[in-house]
Amino acid sequence: MVAPSGADVFAESAPRGENTILLLEAMAGLLVALLGATAPAGWAAEVRTGTALRTEENSHNVGRGCGS
């Protein structure tokens, strides 16, 4: 693709090392998200339904001046 100025904007791509780092950072982000979601899901699967729901309700009211 040629830009209006005549410069070929896709002539140079990122060096291979930068692409590798970007890919590793993306994979690390997915791993952190997966681990961050697994712990609460595992806890919720083990406790009784009422306990999990009360805990979720109380976490939404933190800092709002709502007492439980």
Side-chain angles (χ1 to χ4, degrees), residues 5 7 9 11-13 15-16 18-19 24-26 28-29 31-33 39 46-47 51 54 57 61 64:
S5 66
V9 293
E12 295 181 33
S13 62
R16 180 178 291 257
E18 289 183 21
N19 289 336
L24 289 174
E25 288 177 346
L31 180 63
V32 168
E46 293 176 3
V47 300
T51 303
R54 279 192 303 275
E57 180 181 289
N61 293 330
R64 294 185 185 173

Side-chain angles (χ1 to χ4, degrees), residues 16-64:
R16 180 178 291 257
E18 289 183 21
N19 289 336
T20 303
I21 291 172
L22 183 62
L23 179 63
L24 289 174
E25 288 177 346
M27 290 173 50
L30 290 173
L31 180 63
V32 168
L34 180 67
L35 292 176
T38 303
W43 173 82
E46 293 176 3
V47 300
R48 297 180 65 173
T49 304
T51 303
L53 291 174
R54 279 192 303 275
T55 302
E56 181 178 334
E57 180 181 289
N58 290 337
S59 68
H60 291 295
N61 293 330
V62 172
R64 294 185 185 173

